[in-house]
Amino acid sequence: DAKTTQPNSMESNEEEPVHLPCNHSTISGTDYIHWYRQLPSQGPEYVIHGLTSNVNNRMASLAIAEDRKSSTLILHRATLRDAAVYYCILIQGAQKLVFGQGTRLTINP
Amino acid sequence: NAGVMQNPRHLVRRRGQEARLRCSPMKGHSHVYWYRQLPEEGLKFMVYLQKENIIDESGMPKERFSAEFPKEGPSILRIQQVVRGDSAAYFCASSRTGSYGYTFGSGTRLTVV
């Protein structure tokens, strides 16, 4: 499995944008970049995924570097409910999700 | 459209007993994955099943653990002769295609006393 590197923790304030980085320098051409998050005492939740182009959905935006060696998950306006552990995962074809340590995001009121 | 249903939500077993954890995937999903999360740790893959077949069990402990996904009914993760180290949250995920769109259940929290 291609490896990703994320900061252990980040902190932000409510109603401010949050940029969560992920490095994946060994990404292959067919690896999709997926983001999941896990709220306290809950199962992981799908956030967004992309291949090459930037992606937007109702939860977040995904900005993918031109060389695809890094990506950034953007929460446009963080709320207290966005406090969670965020995981950046590379998936190729029909594979299982392999979770790293993720980034623990704290939102200050 | 109900999500992935796991039951029970909480399960307490004495050492040496058996634990059975059930997972009903989303409607139309035929791929099921089980994960274990020890306290304060990350999620570890255990097993990947597709109806009646085990596709990948590389994360399953060699002894006491087994999983099945029969043609009819939920997927079952079975732990025989539980020990205190089995205490963890066990999560199930399902997928329609096996390549993206994984939906997780709320987990079963197993406590071994």
Side-chain angles (χ1 to χ4, degrees), chain B:
Chain B
N1 186 15
V4 176
M5 304 301 291
Q6 288 189 251
N7 63 79
R9 286 296 305 271
H10 299 274
L11 181 62
V12 179
R13 283 288 177 265
R14 295 188 185 280
R15 279 178 295 168
Q17 289 185 321
E18 178 179 287
R20 280 188 179 233
L21 287 60
R22 286 178 290 278
C23 169
S24 296
M26 285 187 69
K27 189 175 180 181
H29 286 195
S30 60
H31 301 254
V32 165
Y33 310 78
W34 285 92
Y35 289 80
R36 177 165 66 173
Q37 188 169 34
L38 296 168
E40 304 303 320
E41 293 192 15
L43 290 131
K44 301 297 183 190
F45 166 79
M46 298 182 76
V47 62
Y48 163 27
L49 309 104
Q50 201 177 349
K51 280 291 185 182
E52 298 186 275
N53 293 307
I54 295 175
I55 307 300
D56 181 347
E57 55 181 349
S58 58
M60 285 281 269
K62 294 287 183 258
E63 296 177 349
R64 301 188 298 109
F65 285 72
S66 62
E68 62 176 11
F69 188 17
K71 191 175 178 181
E72 302 290 338
S75 175
I76 306 287
L77 179 68
R78 184 179 175 207
I79 312 172
Q80 295 178 293
Q81 299 175 328
V82 297
V83 300
R84 288 223 170 103
D86 297 332
S87 295
Y90 291 83
F91 292 98
C92 164
S94 74
S95 164
R96 185 186 302 275
T97 64
S99 57
Y100 64 92
Y102 304 84
T103 302
F104 282 80
S106 297
T108 293
R109 279 145 188 86
L110 172 66
T111 303
V112 179
V113 297

Side-chain angles (χ1 to χ4, degrees), chain A residues 24 33 50-55 62-66 68 70-72:
Chain A
H24 29 78
I33 302 159
L51 184 62
T52 55
S53 305
N54 294 342
V55 184
L62 177 60
I64 301 173
E66 202 168 324
R68 301 212 324 129
S70 65
S71 60
T72 303

